[in-house]
Amino acid sequence: MLRDDITTAIRRALMQELAAVGYGRLSIEAVARRAGVSKTAIYRRWNSKLDLVLEIVAAAATGKLPALDTGTLRGDLELLFQVVAHALRHPLASQIIPDLLAEAARNPTIDQTLQKVLRARQQEIGGRLIGRAVQRGELPPGTDPEAAVDLIVGPLYWRLAISRTPLTDAYLGTLVEAVATGLGAGAGVPRPRDAAADAAPA
């Protein structure tokens, strides 16, 4: 039976080693040394460094999001940006994500995995956050969730991976308003629901 504490130590060591040297120079030997385990302990769990990296990246990308239901689109956006910014401000994330994005351009397997997990996350965000905003009347019917999510998360990844500019609270506040307006949310007050719907029994 595989011990959970050893698996956790390996995963932590992998993230630290990946941040330190990048995927290209990453080795199972170095991860084992950092984790204080044998190479055999790693190979019992993963067949290769690629399998190890892909599993951990996928797990991180599909981590549980908060409910994202504050009652308004702008409130939901503010909460989402705070959560994402907190994660992206972590030194490990700020080093690993740009490296993996660059590696994905050279490695089809990494590219396919990143595309799969990121698409799943986009669909989750779009279905929840954008869908509720449409139901509340803040966004027009027919709003494209995929395009909306690109507009929401694109600036964050641009700041992280391209311009490498800090995600300040002031910037995030400005971004909330810019994105909400860009999506067609109006002045921030949901449109009144249909009176007949309000009068219908629950």
Side-chain angles (χ1 to χ4, degrees):
M1 183 176 178
L2 300 178
R3 289 171 49 184
D4 290 343
D5 59 330
I6 291 179
T7 302
T8 299
I10 293 171
R11 286 173 172 153
R12 184 181 302 114
L14 178 278
M15 296 294 284
Q16 294 169 344
E17 191 68 17
L18 194 58
V21 304
Y23 179 83
R25 296 172 55 198
L26 184 74
S27 70
I28 293 294
E29 291 81 0
V31 174
R33 283 196 303 271
R34 192 182 284 269
V37 302
S38 67
K39 289 192 297 180
T40 303
I42 296 178
Y43 283 118
R44 285 196 192 105
R45 293 162 171 82
W46 298 277
N47 293 325
S48 65
K49 84 169 186 179
L50 179 58
D51 288 343
L52 172 59
V53 169
L54 292 181
E55 181 194 295
I56 291 176
V57 167
T62 55
K64 185 177 176 63
L65 279 172
L68 295 179
D69 190 6
T70 64
T72 68
L73 174 63
R74 283 171 171 79
D76 291 352
L77 288 172
E78 183 177 1
L79 178 58
L80 175 63
F81 287 155
Q82 288 173 351
V83 171
V84 173
H86 176 75
L88 297 184
R89 283 182 183 128
H90 194 287
L92 292 184
S94 65
Q95 294 165 309
I96 290 172
I97 293 176
D99 177 70
L100 284 179
L101 290 175
E103 192 64 35
R106 300 184 289 268
N107 188 316
T109 304
I110 292 178
D111 182 54
Q112 290 169 8
T113 299
L114 286 177
Q115 290 293 333
K116 180 179 179 180
V117 297
L118 292 176
R119 190 176 298 113
R121 177 46 56 93
Q122 285 182 331
Q123 291 171 347
E124 179 185 8
I125 295 173
R128 291 163 56 183
L129 190 152
I130 302 303
R132 278 196 296 266
V134 171
Q135 291 176 352
R136 288 192 296 253
E138 294 176 281
L139 293 180
T143 298
D144 184 341
E146 186 173 347
V149 172
D150 286 345
L151 182 59
I152 291 168
V153 301
L156 301 180
Y157 284 100
W158 171 268
R159 301 273 289 204
L160 169 74
I162 308 301
S163 69
R164 294 179 180 267
T165 308
L167 293 169
T168 64
D169 291 339
Y171 171 77
L172 293 177
T174 300
L175 188 60
V176 166
E177 188 59 34
V179 170
T181 302
L183 290 173
V189 179
R191 293 195 299 271
R193 291 182 298 175
D194 182 78
D198 289 337

